[in-house]
Amino acid sequence: MKQLRVGMIGYKFMGKAHSNAYRSLPMFFPDALKPEMVAICGRNAGAVQEAADQLGWHESVTDWRELVNRKDIDLIDINAPSDAHKEIALSAAKAGKHIFCEKPLALTLADAREMLHAAEEAGVTHMVGFNYRFSPAVRLAKKLVDSGRLGQIYHFRAWFLQDWIMDPQFPLVWRLQKEVAGSGSHGDLGAHLIDLAHYLVGDMKEVIGMSETFIKERPLASEMTGLSAKGSEGGPMGKVTVDDATLFLTRFQNGALGSFEATRFAAGHRSTNSFEINGSLGSVKFDFERMNELEVYFTSDDEDVQGFRRVLATDPVHDYMEAWWPPGHTIGFEHTFTHEILELANAISEGRQPVPNFADGVKCQAVLEAVDKSIAERRWVQLSEM
């Protein structure tokens, strides 16, 4: 198998990111399976054909069921809204297709578990789209934790701050409707933080949280594209049914403590996806708005030079960077998706499951729902309850 024939469902924000990754992979990672962008699927025939032309797909279709069952497709890429993930993934597994699904994996933990079970029963490769794991600076943080250079881990604190819906006149897009998105900032932004915590520190034992919806109603959307939308001024209004902000605390199974904040109401923060890890021998700090950098502190440094140092994770010693540019020549958001597709392609070639896969999506969903349960019942919730 030298080519990976892809059928993709969804064509807007994530569709563009995934398409760019498929096109970039053979140029920078020529030894990997070469993606063949066979067909892209969406409900609007004109819009999806325009996307196919722009993004480089051979053809466009409007029936995802037909696409899933085509014999010239090896991989189904799901980046449609969250409420469509389960049905498409179950059909893809039944058809024996490999599956790449954006996060959150499903609307509910039960649905996520059903998707994992179906993929395992079918024996197909499955991956969930937690792209921030694939930043070289995050991979460096992982190496420092795993090697013991930070010592015993005491704290993990993370925050994902945005401000794109602060205007009360911003329309009621699908991300603000629970029946489509599952949750608001919690499942959209917080899911990334939860996955990073699992990746870097380990599994969680218990959680307690709180949330708020600051703007209860918004104008109905007449047009939606990615994270932008249009609505008619003075037109009908609709109820916001998800959280605008969610905060929670956790105790990890290894004894470390964690705090998490996800909000779309942090003025001045376009996409501040950050974490800090504190251990007995040192600390690291990361901010995706400066994604090529990791701030590192070691207690073993001489007292007169102690302090956080800026490490630019662009040298060939850092994960993936040998394939890109000379040291100091930085990469961006889009490269995380190329690295993600590289992991998927290599896993398919090697006959293994990629990381993160649907099991990681289930684990993240369990934390999301445990936090929701904690908020509803105003108490600590054990992950074992889920």
Side-chain angles (χ1 to χ4, degrees):
M1 186 178 181
K2 295 183 179 180
Q3 283 196 318
L4 181 63
R5 301 171 298 177
V6 184
M8 189 171 79
I9 303 165
Y11 59 91
K12 294 185 179 179
F13 177 26
M14 283 296 103
K16 184 177 289 186
H18 290 198
S19 297
N20 181 72
Y22 292 127
R23 296 178 68 171
S24 297
L25 187 67
M27 183 183 300
F28 292 95
F29 298 92
D31 294 334
L33 281 179
K34 183 178 181 180
E36 181 183 353
M37 298 164 66
V38 177
I40 185 172
C41 181
R43 289 171 289 187
N44 184 310
V48 73
Q49 181 57 53
E50 184 178 337
D53 295 338
Q54 177 186 351
L55 303 178
W57 292 84
H58 297 327
E59 63 177 294
S60 67
V61 298
T62 57
D63 186 347
W64 67 261
R65 292 173 179 82
E66 175 189 331
L67 181 66
V68 162
N69 289 291
R70 284 174 51 160
K71 296 186 182 302
D72 61 343
I73 299 291
D74 304 309
L75 170 71
I76 293 296
D77 180 320
I78 308 168
N79 58 82
S82 304
D83 64 331
H85 290 184
K86 175 187 171 182
E87 186 178 9
I88 298 172
L90 294 182
S91 296
K94 185 177 181 179
K97 309 298 185 186
H98 304 305
I99 311 167
F100 177 39
C101 184
E102 265 302 329
K103 64 86 215 151
L105 188 58
L107 294 182
T108 68
L109 177 57
D111 285 352
R113 284 173 170 156
E114 187 175 351
M115 292 165 66
L116 172 61
H117 177 73
E120 289 178 337
E121 285 288 300
V124 299
T125 304
H126 47 88
M127 187 174 193
V128 62
F130 289 118
N131 62 296
Y132 295 106
R133 284 193 186 207
F134 295 92
S135 303
V138 172
R139 312 287 282 199
L140 175 57
K142 171 71 168 172
K143 288 181 180 179
L144 294 176
V145 171
D146 288 352
S147 67
R149 291 179 70 183
L150 299 184
Q152 179 183 346
I153 303 304
Y154 296 139
H155 294 286
F156 178 87
R157 63 184 62 85
W159 53 101
F160 203 149
L161 316 177
Q162 294 182 345
D163 64 357
W164 62 281
I165 60 168
M166 288 186 63
D167 182 356
Q169 293 305 308
F170 187 86
L172 187 70
V173 296
W174 68 265
R175 293 175 188 272
L176 304 181
Q177 298 173 291
K178 186 175 179 61
E179 66 273 16
V180 181
S183 65
S185 62
H186 185 42
D188 187 21
L189 308 181
H192 281 300
L193 302 179
I194 291 165
D195 181 69
L196 286 173
H198 285 151
Y199 176 59
L200 294 166
V201 179
D203 291 350
M204 300 181 199
K205 181 180 180 181
E206 58 182 352
V207 297
I208 190 168
M210 63 179 177
S211 66
E212 186 58 65
T213 302
F214 299 113
I215 297 177
K216 314 296 186 185
E217 289 189 333
R218 292 181 177 273
L220 297 182
S222 58
E223 182 181 330
M224 289 184 275
T225 304
L227 296 183
S228 62
K230 294 180 181 179
S232 56
E233 188 173 347
M237 305 286 283
K239 185 178 180 181
V240 176
T241 52
V242 299
D243 62 290
D244 286 330
T246 293
L247 290 76
F248 73 93
L249 304 177
T250 189
R251 188 183 304 274
F252 290 90
Q253 289 187 4
N254 61 13
L257 303 181
S259 63
F260 298 76
E261 179 179 5
T263 181
R264 295 163 171 163
F265 276 72
H269 291 273
R270 298 299 190 249
S271 191
T272 305
N273 177 7
S274 303
F275 64 79
E276 180 170 343
I277 302 173
N278 307 126
S280 59
L281 300 179
S283 298
V284 294
K285 294 193 289 188
F286 173 79
D287 180 358
F288 192 74
E289 289 183 349
R290 305 182 69 169
M291 64 164 283
N292 291 277
E293 303 174 12
L294 185 70
E295 291 189 70
V296 181
Y297 171 82
F298 294 117
T299 60
S300 59
D301 288 343
D302 290 339
E303 187 176 354
D304 59 345
V305 292
Q306 281 194 354
F308 278 96
R309 69 188 72 172
R310 181 184 73 112
V311 176
L312 191 62
T314 60
D315 282 40
V317 70
H318 299 116
D319 284 2
Y320 311 116
M321 291 309 300
E322 191 172 11
W324 294 105
W325 316 117
H329 293 67
T330 56
I331 61 172
F333 173 67
E334 68 274 19
H335 296 79
T336 64
F337 293 93
T338 305
H339 302 159
E340 198 171 39
I341 296 302
L342 174 65
E343 166 65 7
L344 175 59
N346 286 345
I348 291 172
S349 294
E350 297 163 10
R352 61 175 175 84
Q353 290 300 340
V355 178
N357 55 54
F358 281 14
D360 298 285
V362 168
K363 187 160 58 173
C364 179
Q365 194 70 45
V367 175
L368 290 171
E369 288 198 15
V371 172
D372 285 339
K373 184 179 180 68
S374 165
I375 294 168
E377 299 179 7
R378 302 179 68 85
R379 67 175 179 90
W380 283 92
V381 170
Q382 305 292 312
L383 266 296
S384 61
E385 298 178 41
M386 308 306 294

